[in-house]
Amino acid sequence: MKLVAGAATDTGLVRSNNEDSYLVDADHVVYAIADGMGGHRGGEVASQTAIEALRAAIAAGQPVREAIVGANAAVIERAQRNEELTGMGTTLTVLVVASGNQLLIGHVGDSRAYVLHGGAMRRVTEDHSLVEELVREGRLTPEQAESHPQRAIVTRALGIDTTVDVDLYPIAVAAGDRVLLCSDGLTTMVRGRDVERLLRSEPDAQRAAELLVDAANRAGGEDNTSAIVVDVVEVDATAPAAPAAPAASGTVARRVMSPAPDPDDVRRLVPARGRWGRRVRSAVLLFLPLVVVLGAATGGVAWYARRSYYVGFANHRVVIYKGVPGGVLGWNPTVDLSTELTDTQLNQVDHDRVAGGAARGSLSGAQTFVATLRADVAATSTTTTTTTTPRKKPKPKPRTTTTRPRQPSR
Ligand code: MN
């Protein structure tokens, strides 16, 4: 198969940096778009890490699914080496050649692949996004989804979990077909029929990719936009399968043969509330950056609800909480470690700090803060002792008799 590709990416008019990355590797015939997300430089690092791992894996002859799974591991591994990158993630949509007349798309996240065949554009990939899941379930109309405030929430991405579910789409192609890979910056800003019209009217792949990115910017450029346009110049239906094909077509066959899960089955397996909770959790994990941007107005940078710690009071005791004061999107803080310190032992300054939720961030930071509290308490005790003033006994710790013993649930 002979392919010709063009690609373009742009930061857009609103964002300060471009978290999209893309791959055009004509030698190994692999094309990919990654749209990163995460605080600090996390989004950029995640998408670049995924793209680089993908490129190396494909160049080493790995099938696309394994290459994407490897890219997921690479993003997680990269995040573990730098605390500032914790929780970063990325989408990844990949195009490779499966055989003489078949392309294969591997996909995770809300970037997209389209095919233009006979002048008509068809979307290949499903978005792994909250609103699109709601549309698929009939709980939102496509029109409502378009303007939904949570349309940026991704339910599947690389970098979040050690296992990743990869969608594979085999596409039979003919000469003259055109494939578009793009980040959501394009599809949220430009209507599908305008994308289609542009793909139909501009014959040059590179120029078409540039025009698509321009169109997103003309419509407001609210996100980073990336587009890869791949033209199928020549196919060979009689050519033997590409080296990657045996394993790849095996997985494809499995996917094609297993029907999409019956929504009713899913509902039976997971109660609606649980499903929503899991989505919200994904939202928190992935879209902390958004939460942070909103939260910044009210109180600075918070870590992930799941990965953050702070020092506060519980039952008049100084404890280390796991979570964020007040909770974030359903994640309420939980007591991770209780100390022997009580509120009456603390001086006013320490007391106020703890009452307000102190030392927000890492566990070690919280532990260090507790150590300083202990030192302050010890210093106060020493002073009191040396002045021979009778030491005021700390108020007895509150009785727990008000706590109703938990009944075994039935
Ligand atoms: Mn995006």
Side-chain angles (χ1 to χ4, degrees):
M1 194 183 308
K2 190 179 171 204
L3 304 175
V4 170
T9 186
D10 193 75
T11 304
L13 308 179
V14 174
R15 304 289 177 90
S16 58
N17 51 345
N18 192 345
E19 301 187 323
D20 288 358
S21 298
Y22 71 85
L23 173 66
V24 171
D25 184 341
D27 290 342
H28 300 104
V29 204
V30 52
Y31 308 89
I33 296 257
D35 178 351
M37 53 209 97
H40 301 276
R41 311 299 283 184
E44 283 167 271
V45 176
S47 65
Q48 285 164 13
T49 303
I51 287 287
E52 178 47 38
L54 172 82
R55 194 202 59 75
I58 297 286
Q62 276 188 29
V64 70
R65 183 196 294 275
E66 282 73 2
I68 293 174
V69 168
N72 179 54
V75 174
I76 290 173
E77 197 265 332
R78 182 77 183 79
Q80 282 168 348
R81 281 192 278 136
N82 184 345
E83 199 175 307
E84 288 198 333
L85 301 176
T86 300
M88 69 180 179
T90 183
T91 72
L92 187 59
T93 302
V94 184
L95 171 68
V96 295
V97 173
S99 71
N101 64 346
Q102 198 176 61
L103 298 175
L104 181 62
I105 289 180
H107 168 70
V108 176
D110 69 348
S111 301
R112 289 182 182 176
Y114 292 87
V115 174
L116 190 75
H117 174 83
M121 189 175 79
R122 170 178 77 85
R123 183 166 141 199
V124 176
T125 50
E126 280 184 354
D127 291 354
H128 303 135
S129 69
L130 176 62
V131 293
E132 199 162 288
E133 282 189 16
L134 295 176
V135 169
R136 283 199 286 271
E137 290 170 11
R139 291 158 71 180
L140 278 183
T141 67
E143 293 70 36
Q144 288 170 325
E146 260 175 39
S147 55
H148 199 280
Q150 287 168 306
R151 65 173 191 262
I153 293 178
V154 174
T155 50
R156 220 196 283 175
L158 305 191
I160 305 307
D161 196 276
T162 49
T163 60
V164 62
D165 199 5
V166 178
D167 285 352
L168 291 179
Y169 302 92
I171 325 169
V173 287
D177 286 358
R178 177 172 261 192
V179 180
L180 167 67
L181 305 181
C182 62
S183 62
D184 69 330
L186 177 67
T187 48
T188 55
M189 301 309 298
V190 185
R191 284 176 308 184
R193 61 170 174 273
D194 293 332
V195 172
E196 179 177 335
R197 190 171 41 74
L198 223 150
L199 285 176
R200 260 203 318 249
S201 58
E202 174 52 59
D204 181 70
Q206 178 59 36
R207 185 79 192 119
E210 288 166 7
L211 287 174
L212 288 169
V213 172
D214 287 351
N217 284 340
R218 273 204 311 278
E222 287 171 18
D223 194 1
N224 312 139
T225 303
S226 303
I228 302 179
V229 175
V230 182
D231 282 332
V232 179
V233 178
E234 217 176 272
V235 298
D236 180 5
T238 61
S249 56
T251 30
V252 170
R254 271 207 301 284
R255 181 181 166 78
V256 170
M257 286 184 313
S258 67
D262 176 0
D264 290 333
D265 286 350
V266 177
R267 214 157 275 132
R268 244 179 284 125
L269 282 170
V270 191
R273 259 180 73 187
R275 303 176 77 205
W276 178 260
R278 287 194 316 184
R279 287 198 187 111
V280 170
R281 185 172 1 162
S282 310
V284 172
L285 286 171
L286 280 174
F287 275 80
L288 181 75
L290 289 185
V291 175
V292 166
V293 168
L294 297 173
T298 56
V301 178
W303 259 138
Y304 271 66
R306 279 302 286 159
R307 308 200 180 184
S308 180
Y309 296 83
Y310 71 98
V311 178
F313 288 121
N315 255 344
H316 303 278
R317 250 173 209 280
V318 175
V319 302
I320 295 178
Y321 279 105
K322 187 175 191 178
V324 173
V328 173
L329 291 182
W331 279 108
N332 290 319
T334 54
V335 174
D336 193 64
L337 187 84
S338 191
T339 74
E340 79 290 355
L341 298 170
T342 62
D343 55 353
T344 52
Q345 289 178 292
L346 302 186
N347 63 45
Q348 193 62 47
V349 173
D350 285 346
H351 184 282
D352 290 350
R353 291 175 71 187
V354 173
R360 300 178 194 184
S362 67
L363 178 59
S364 61
Q367 286 167 333
T368 306
F369 181 75
V370 168
T372 65
L373 293 180
R374 272 198 195 104
D376 286 352
V377 168
T380 312
S381 315
T382 310
T383 312
T384 322
T385 310
T386 49
T387 53
T388 67
T389 315
R391 202 158 129 213
K392 214 171 142 189
K393 261 188 110 176
K395 220 163 77 182
K397 71 168 182 178
R399 302 191 162 278
T400 51
T401 46
T402 51
T403 314
R404 211 178 314 137
R406 194 191 265 169
Q407 299 293 329
S409 57
R410 264 157 219 281

